[in-house]
Amino acid sequence: MNSNIKVPTYILVSLLFVAAVGLLTGLYSGLVRLGFLPETNHAISPLAHGPLMINGFLGTLIGLERAAALDKKWAFVGPVFMAASTGFLLTGLQVLGEWSLILGSVGLTVVMAFLYYLQPKMYHLIMALGAGSLLVGNLFYVFNYPIYMLVGWWAAFPVLTIFGERLELNRIMRPPKQAQQIFVGLILGWIIALGITHFDRVIGWSTASLLLIIIAGWLVQYDVARRTIKSVEWTRYSAVCLLTGYGWLILAGLFGLWYGFPTAGPLYDGLLHMIFVGFVFSMIFAHASVIIPSLSGKIIPWHRYFYLPLLLLHGFLAIRILGDLLLLPMVRKVGSHGNVLAIILFLVGVLYQLMSRSLKKKPEPPKVEKSPA
Amino acid sequence: MSKSSIDRRKIARNLREVIDPELGVNIVDLGLVYNILCDDGRVVVEFTATTPGCPMRRFLQQQVEEKLAAIEEIDEYEARLVWEPEWNVDMIKKDVEFFAYPPPQQRA
């Protein structure tokens, strides 16, 4: 019987694999940036860390998720170019890589705008604004603006995508209409504040930080995670990831109010990784049990082992931030290496669980009766 | 059993085994199954997703197809995704308990 699904699963799995390559090379590039094996002539530039993590990994993954949901071939333009950008950036084809980033983010923005056209709801608008933010950030990037000027737009991509997704999912909690409108207003205010940072970095980021704290507070109040934390297995695990991620968002907001939006150095490192590791990776851990089946059709069997990488992620991030605040490069190094370890341990856990299940499910070969001699 | 008398309740029972992993509720109680059309050995299940951008859409489609394929009396089946009417939370069965359902991986 032919399935109604138009795009075969192996294409999705292949692109998922390229997203994983983007992640691993992005992590490696981050380590090189921190002075990993200084005597070695590294094949991956430390400058590729941001583009690989934001576009090669997150752009491909989120683009893939949306394209798979739509199940239309044209929707795959975004993730395919995002995946291609990883290959070009790794092989040093910078110009082609930059073109791929732009085409990939245009593709993703068109998909999100199309979803808003299909269902003009606020959560789709927020997600579309997230994709648009990625495009803005990438345009600044190809026009050689300094990273500290565009990184807010790069951050807005996963942050807004997650805000939109949570607003959509939390419909089941039936939050009051006014509360939903306030949430959308806060998010739109946050995007405007991000724009203001280009004219006045202090006022823009202070406003954005304050709004970030209130948005995180809204999520703690209305997210289903407060209920599902009493559940079991993946459901409970996701809730822990979500709530701790919101916690990091509040801390990032407080950090931003206190220290502003530095342009380089340890405080800049601290602020960015509170958002990208503390919030974004926590969300990735939270949603992995949904993302993997949605793309591969395979459920990840639960194991309490998954709490180990989560604990390491948050624990080592706290160490890293401490190193940033106290200006102790070695402490920061330990923390950041620990973060890489946590992410790899999570990936290994997912792969092991998927493989062990498929091995268990393999049917026994039929017994062949020996014919009498 | 005659192929013309496919038991719709049996189909609905099978579809109740399809759990939306994001919400921990089966797709029938979530109100995602709009129609079960049976005609002489052929079954068409019209279902929807919570949103057109729902990442679980493919997974649910595969699961619905698997559940239909498991029913011996069905010769031909189609899991047809529809977007009209638009799903909303009021379509969820009253008093349904979210996340109370054993996670799918437990039952696998």
Side-chain angles (χ1 to χ4, degrees):
Chain A
M1 186 83 38
N2 286 330
S3 168
N4 271 339
I5 290 171
K6 294 186 189 88
V7 181
T9 302
Y10 73 86
I11 291 182
L12 270 62
V13 174
S14 310
L15 284 167
L16 190 60
F17 176 77
V18 185
V21 172
L23 169 65
L24 293 173
T25 52
L27 290 175
Y28 184 84
S29 165
L31 290 181
V32 175
R33 207 182 172 91
L34 286 158
F36 180 66
L37 299 175
E39 308 299 315
T40 317
N41 191 13
H42 295 286
I44 304 173
S45 160
L47 298 175
H49 178 58
L52 283 171
M53 296 301 283
I54 297 297
N55 293 286
F57 171 51
L58 288 173
T60 309
L61 184 68
I62 294 170
L64 189 56
E65 230 189 327
R66 298 293 158 235
L70 271 179
D71 201 33
K72 292 188 187 299
K73 283 176 187 160
W74 62 263
F76 283 81
V77 167
V80 164
F81 274 110
M82 283 298 179
S85 76
T86 300
F88 291 133
L89 290 174
L90 288 177
T91 48
L93 298 168
Q94 187 69 18
V95 177
L96 281 175
E98 288 175 357
W99 270 103
S100 295
L101 295 183
I102 298 298
L103 292 173
S105 36
V106 167
L108 188 55
T109 307
V110 169
V111 166
M112 292 313 306
F114 182 69
L115 282 172
Y116 180 68
Y117 163 76
L118 286 179
Q119 198 183 52
K121 300 278 185 198
M122 277 303 146
Y123 44 81
H124 279 148
L125 178 68
I126 294 167
M127 287 188 239
L129 288 170
S133 301
L134 178 67
L135 177 60
V136 171
N138 283 341
L139 282 169
F140 278 128
Y141 177 69
V142 298
F143 286 107
N144 294 318
Y145 278 74
I147 298 292
Y148 69 80
M149 271 187 74
L150 61 93
V151 75
W153 297 107
W154 275 355
F157 166 51
V159 166
L160 292 175
T161 302
I162 294 159
F163 287 168
E165 279 184 355
R166 297 316 297 173
L167 183 64
E168 190 270 311
L169 186 80
N170 285 313
R171 283 184 293 170
I172 60 159
M173 295 290 279
R174 294 180 165 85
K177 204 166 183 186
Q178 204 182 2
Q180 292 184 53
Q181 287 164 346
I182 289 171
F183 187 63
V184 173
L186 289 168
I187 290 171
L188 293 178
W190 187 76
I191 298 168
I192 293 167
L194 208 55
I196 294 174
T197 57
H198 289 276
F199 308 101
D200 190 321
R201 205 165 166 87
V202 176
I203 291 177
W205 194 251
S206 299
T207 313
S209 298
L210 184 65
L211 290 171
L212 208 56
I213 296 168
I214 305 172
I215 292 168
W218 190 99
L219 284 165
V220 171
Q221 172 68 25
Y222 290 107
D223 200 291
V224 70
R226 281 205 335 174
R227 269 177 58 186
T228 55
I229 198 152
K230 293 170 194 149
S231 186
V232 292
E233 303 190 346
W234 275 120
T235 313
R236 185 193 182 94
Y237 180 79
S238 295
V240 174
C241 296
L242 288 162
L243 294 173
T244 47
Y246 300 153
W248 277 113
L249 217 50
I250 292 172
L251 289 177
L254 292 171
F255 192 101
L257 281 178
W258 192 260
Y259 295 105
F261 195 176
T263 52
L267 293 178
Y268 172 76
D269 175 86
L271 178 63
L272 290 190
H273 289 89
M274 282 168 114
I275 298 174
F276 284 118
V277 177
F279 178 64
V280 176
F281 267 93
S282 225
M283 296 299 122
I284 291 169
F285 284 17
H287 291 102
S289 61
V290 171
I291 299 169
I292 299 291
S294 71
L295 298 176
S296 68
K298 305 258 184 268
I299 293 263
I300 312 169
W302 164 252
H303 196 286
R304 61 176 187 262
Y305 158 85
F306 287 109
Y307 278 108
L308 173 70
L310 182 65
L311 193 72
L312 295 179
L313 187 87
H314 292 315
F316 278 112
L317 179 59
I319 291 171
R320 177 184 196 147
I321 303 301
L322 202 68
D324 283 328
L325 288 173
L326 301 176
L327 304 178
L328 297 169
M330 192 42 84
V331 176
R332 172 186 168 197
K333 233 178 220 185
V334 169
S336 43
H337 281 68
N339 279 157
V340 173
L341 177 72
I343 294 166
I344 290 172
L345 285 177
F346 184 81
L347 278 182
V348 168
V350 168
L351 283 176
Y352 179 82
Q353 286 296 85
L354 285 173
M355 282 165 64
S356 66
R357 184 180 165 181
S358 38
L359 284 175
K360 268 182 211 161
K361 277 186 81 178
K362 264 192 183 163
E364 280 180 27
K367 283 178 187 167
V368 181
E369 283 197 14
K370 283 180 187 168
S371 50
Chain B
M1 184 189 269
S2 149
K3 295 208 168 173
S4 60
S5 61
I6 299 168
D7 189 349
R8 285 157 56 96
R9 281 172 305 180
K10 188 175 181 181
I11 297 172
R13 246 195 331 269
N14 269 27
L15 293 180
R16 273 179 198 276
E17 290 173 14
V18 180
I19 308 298
D20 182 328
E22 262 192 306
L23 301 174
V25 180
N26 72 72
I27 58 168
V28 176
D29 288 350
L30 270 181
L32 294 175
V33 177
Y34 285 169
N35 257 320
I36 300 172
L37 310 164
C38 305
D39 181 22
D40 210 20
R42 177 178 159 79
V43 171
V44 177
V45 170
E46 289 186 335
F47 74 105
T48 193
T50 52
T51 144
C54 173
M56 294 313 296
R57 168 232 198 275
R58 283 172 67 94
F59 178 74
L60 293 181
Q61 176 130 16
Q62 285 162 347
Q63 293 281 301
V64 170
E65 284 167 359
E66 257 179 46
K67 296 300 167 195
L68 293 176
I71 300 174
E72 218 175 88
E73 294 86 352
I74 299 176
D75 289 334
E76 259 187 85
Y77 59 80
E78 186 187 346
R80 188 184 293 162
L81 186 76
V82 294
W83 296 113
E84 293 286 335
E86 189 179 287
W87 182 87
N88 65 69
V89 286
D90 295 330
M91 292 180 179
I92 302 172
K93 191 182 161 195
K94 236 182 176 183
D95 303 324
V96 80
E97 210 179 324
F98 290 99
F99 309 102
Y101 207 94
Q105 60 271 19
Q106 268 190 340
R107 305 175 313 114

